[in-house]
Amino acid sequence: MMAGRLSFRNITALAPMVRVGTLPMRLLALDYGADVVYCEELIDIKMAQCHRVVNEVLDTVDFVAPDERVMFRTCEREKNRVVFQMGTADPDRALLVARLVEQDVAAIDVNMGCPKEYSTKGGMGAALLSDPDKIEAILKKLVSGVSIPVTCKIRILPSLEETVGLVQRIEKTGVAAIAVHGRLKEERPRHPLHLDHIQAAARAVSIPVIANGGSLDLVKSSGDIAAFRQASGASSVMLARAAMWNASVFRERGPLPLENVMEEYLKHAFRYNNHAFNTKYVLCQMMRDKVESPLGKKLQAAQTSREISEAFGLQDFYQLTQDQLQLKRDALQSCSRPERLMVEGGVSMMAVRFERREYPPHITPKMFLLEWSRKEKLQQPLYEMEQRSQDRSFQSTVTVEGKKYRSTLWEKSKKFAEQAAAVVCLRVLGVPEGLIGEEDSGLVCKRKLNGTAEEEQSKKRHVFETQQEADDGDLMKSQKL
């Protein structure tokens, strides 16, 4: 750190890796000695739709998509050392996303080197290498628009002169560092690394150059990192596959057995509620050719975090972690009610947000409000929707017995806006809303919904009853005959 800002000089970094560079892997790399960790490339269009959520149960900050998927999760421990890498081809959208995350990360990086289609489509990733004007526009916009360092990661161009010309042009935008993967965009890991291009780039600019691409050729253990730095002439080194295969490659005292590393990775995954499919994918990448071993087959058969924990003999740790998280959820729920009520223009309002994880599957506040209205012989709740133009967020107002209720917070989806309005109404009325751990109110029957919505169940009941009436009518006719 220099003057409160992340320095990229003389560091060893975990490189951005799609599906691998999630929070558990980043924390693992920090455990073993990495100075800086990059998240996986996240596409600006998807991130721009996210809202920032402070997750008090996990002690994380989550950036959540409208469908409730967590696109990016970070925590206090990595705040000063995590670099947020985005895929973008639009300066304005890049700045929007950078400002969304800048208070929770140490730097912003733009991916200009990934050759895969998911990155290059739409002009992102390595596609930017053929459009230096756009590179310049994006980086200048970011450098002038955020308070944290901005960097980029590129691949080399066909000639030394072109590579040098590109890094010199990038330096003039004001970025803090440039990561250079020493291969052309058409080349893959099996192709030799072009160290001469990294050397030329490092000599051509005054800002730090981070050498990347040496996992297979040059870095096979922690002792090789310094040799790679010296051979490349770069200030710093960034590791991808070598770190993915065994994150203890960063460890000064030498790597640890893979079994130990996988166990530590799993502890982070369980502690931070990492998605089971992502955890499984990362472990399979670690195991490489051992994925067909007895342990590998158990891992491949596992479908949940609990089953993964059982495969690795960590079921006691998993259960202890889950119990601790549930205790924290219960404590937070008991402390978080009631919210402060405001009444303005005849509308009762609270600053509440609908959190799907706080309710059992297939149970929602809207269902409880509807059932309560039926029980009280009131008209069905009426929802009105408003959309905010600047960010396309939604706010809903629900009317029950002539009175209006609304959350003061805006949601990224219409469904969640309606649920938030229902929460406000139920809390003002003192009616149960279906929270996990809430005493059974009898408002919603405990039938198995089998993953279907209440409306679908109602339709099925109506079809069944209609069919039953028809069958009864046919039976009576046949008896008369």
Side-chain angles (χ1 to χ4, degrees):
M1 299 290 294
M2 294 180 64
R5 289 166 65 88
L6 183 64
S7 171
F8 292 88
R9 200 169 297 279
N10 299 318
I11 63 158
T12 302
L14 175 72
M17 290 180 280
V18 173
R19 297 179 66 187
V20 174
T22 46
L23 182 59
M25 176 58 79
R26 300 197 304 268
L27 294 178
L28 189 67
L30 291 175
D31 288 344
Y32 291 130
D35 300 303
V36 174
V37 290
Y38 284 65
C39 76
E40 61 177 333
E41 178 195 17
L42 294 166
I43 306 303
D44 60 354
I45 295 176
K46 294 181 179 179
M47 282 298 301
Q49 299 173 23
C50 292
H51 62 273
R52 181 184 184 273
V53 176
V54 176
N55 188 327
E56 294 180 302
V57 175
L58 298 179
D59 292 321
T60 60
V61 175
D62 300 343
F63 292 86
V64 185
D67 62 2
E68 285 303 289
R69 283 188 305 156
V70 177
M71 301 301 296
F72 176 59
R73 170 169 286 162
T74 185
C75 66
E76 185 65 29
R77 186 185 164 209
E78 68 168 5
K79 182 176 181 178
N80 295 324
R81 293 200 277 175
V82 63
V83 180
F84 179 88
Q85 189 190 65
M86 76 170 83
T88 185
D90 182 271
D92 293 329
R93 195 160 53 234
L95 182 58
L96 175 68
V97 173
R99 285 178 171 169
L100 176 66
V101 303
E102 74 172 310
Q103 300 305 316
D104 301 295
V105 300
I108 302 292
D109 183 80
V110 178
N111 182 353
M112 300 180 177
C114 183
K116 300 294 181 66
E117 184 183 357
Y118 63 78
S119 186
T120 57
K121 64 183 179 182
M124 299 181 295
L128 285 170
L129 295 175
S130 59
D131 193 347
D133 289 341
K134 185 170 286 186
I135 287 177
E136 187 174 317
I138 292 170
L139 294 177
K140 281 186 174 180
K141 190 89 170 182
L142 289 172
V143 169
S144 63
V146 296
S147 59
I148 56 178
V150 175
T151 65
C152 66
K153 183 172 182 287
I154 67 169
R155 283 194 170 222
I156 63 171
L157 297 177
S159 71
L160 280 173
E161 292 75 20
E162 289 174 291
T163 300
V164 167
L166 178 61
V167 296
Q168 288 177 332
R169 187 167 181 179
I170 289 173
E171 181 183 27
K172 291 176 182 177
T173 65
V175 295
I178 306 171
V180 180
H181 184 132
R183 291 184 178 88
L184 298 166
K185 64 181 180 180
E186 298 83 10
E187 294 180 325
R188 295 297 177 265
R190 66 180 181 275
H191 294 105
L193 193 69
H194 301 278
L195 275 174
D196 55 338
H197 280 251
I198 302 178
Q199 293 166 352
R203 288 194 300 266
V205 295
S206 60
I207 58 175
V209 167
I210 308 170
N212 177 230
S215 290
L216 185 62
D217 297 337
L218 298 170
V219 181
K220 297 177 182 177
S221 68
S222 55
D224 297 329
I225 295 175
F228 180 35
R229 178 186 282 113
Q230 185 174 3
S232 67
S235 170
S236 301
V237 169
M238 175 185 284
L239 300 180
R241 287 168 301 142
M244 176 178 69
W245 295 330
N246 188 328
S248 67
V249 70
F250 294 110
R251 192 169 176 264
E252 288 185 0
R253 289 179 290 173
L256 296 170
L258 181 61
E259 293 76 12
N260 297 15
V261 175
M262 290 193 294
E263 183 174 315
E264 293 305 310
Y265 169 80
L266 277 170
K267 288 179 179 179
H268 285 308
F270 297 151
R271 166 68 182 82
Y272 288 99
N273 198 25
N274 199 52
H275 196 289
F277 289 163
N278 180 254
T279 300
K280 180 176 173 179
Y281 174 83
V282 174
L283 289 169
C284 286
Q285 299 306 305
M286 290 184 183
M287 297 187 78
R288 301 170 71 190
D289 56 350
K290 295 184 178 64
V291 78
E292 292 300 325
S293 66
L295 177 59
K297 289 180 179 178
K298 286 183 183 179
L299 173 62
Q300 291 183 71
Q303 297 297 311
T304 64
S305 292
R306 183 179 296 278
E307 290 173 356
I308 294 173
S309 75
E310 292 168 354
F312 284 82
L314 290 174
Q315 55 266 48
D316 290 342
F317 178 87
Y318 174 80
Q319 189 57 54
L320 176 63
T321 302
Q322 296 308 299
D323 292 344
Q324 290 172 341
L325 292 177
Q326 188 58 52
L327 285 172
K328 200 164 185 181
R329 287 188 194 97
D330 294 343
L332 287 168
Q333 286 179 7
S334 66
C335 294
S336 63
R337 311 289 188 265
E339 288 80 4
R340 188 169 68 89
L341 174 65
M342 299 173 284
V343 180
E344 184 178 313
V347 182
S348 297
M349 296 180 288
M350 288 181 175
V352 301
R353 196 180 296 284
F354 173 65
E355 301 287 355
R356 173 71 267 185
R357 62 180 175 273
E358 294 183 357
Y359 300 84
H362 321 307
I363 296 293
T364 66
K366 280 186 68 177
M367 292 172 61
F368 268 64
L369 182 56
L370 179 62
E371 292 297 331
W372 179 82
S373 300
R374 288 172 175 170
K375 181 181 176 182
E376 298 296 318
K377 297 182 171 52
L378 303 175
Q379 287 188 343
Q380 182 172 319
L382 177 65
Y383 294 87
E384 301 172 75
M385 190 66 61
E386 180 182 353
Q387 185 174 23
R388 191 164 58 185
S389 59
Q390 58 264 42
D391 61 359
R392 304 179 69 181
S393 294
F394 297 95
Q395 190 178 61
S396 178
T397 302
V398 62
T399 302
V400 177
E401 203 177 9
K403 296 181 179 179
K404 296 180 181 292
Y405 307 86
R406 175 195 308 150
S407 171
T408 58
L409 305 179
W410 293 75
E411 298 280 359
K412 290 295 183 180
S413 76
K414 293 180 180 179
K415 290 182 179 179
F416 276 57
E418 289 182 344
Q419 296 290 359
V423 170
V424 173
C425 179
L426 290 165
R427 292 181 187 175
V428 171
L429 296 173
V431 178
E433 61 191 79
L435 288 162
I436 293 172
E438 191 175 72
E439 185 176 347
D440 182 28
S441 64
L443 283 175
V444 175
C445 178
K446 289 186 176 179
R447 61 184 179 273
K448 292 184 179 179
L449 296 178
N450 295 322
T452 60
E454 181 187 32
E455 290 80 3
E456 294 173 1
Q457 287 290 332
S458 177
K459 289 178 183 177
K460 288 181 180 179
R461 288 198 301 272
H462 175 71
V463 171
F464 174 79
E465 290 166 359
T466 303
Q467 184 63 49
Q468 190 66 48
E469 290 173 1
D471 292 344
D472 290 344
D474 291 342
L475 178 61
M476 291 175 66
K477 287 180 182 178
S478 64
Q479 287 174 341
K480 287 180 180 179
L481 292 172

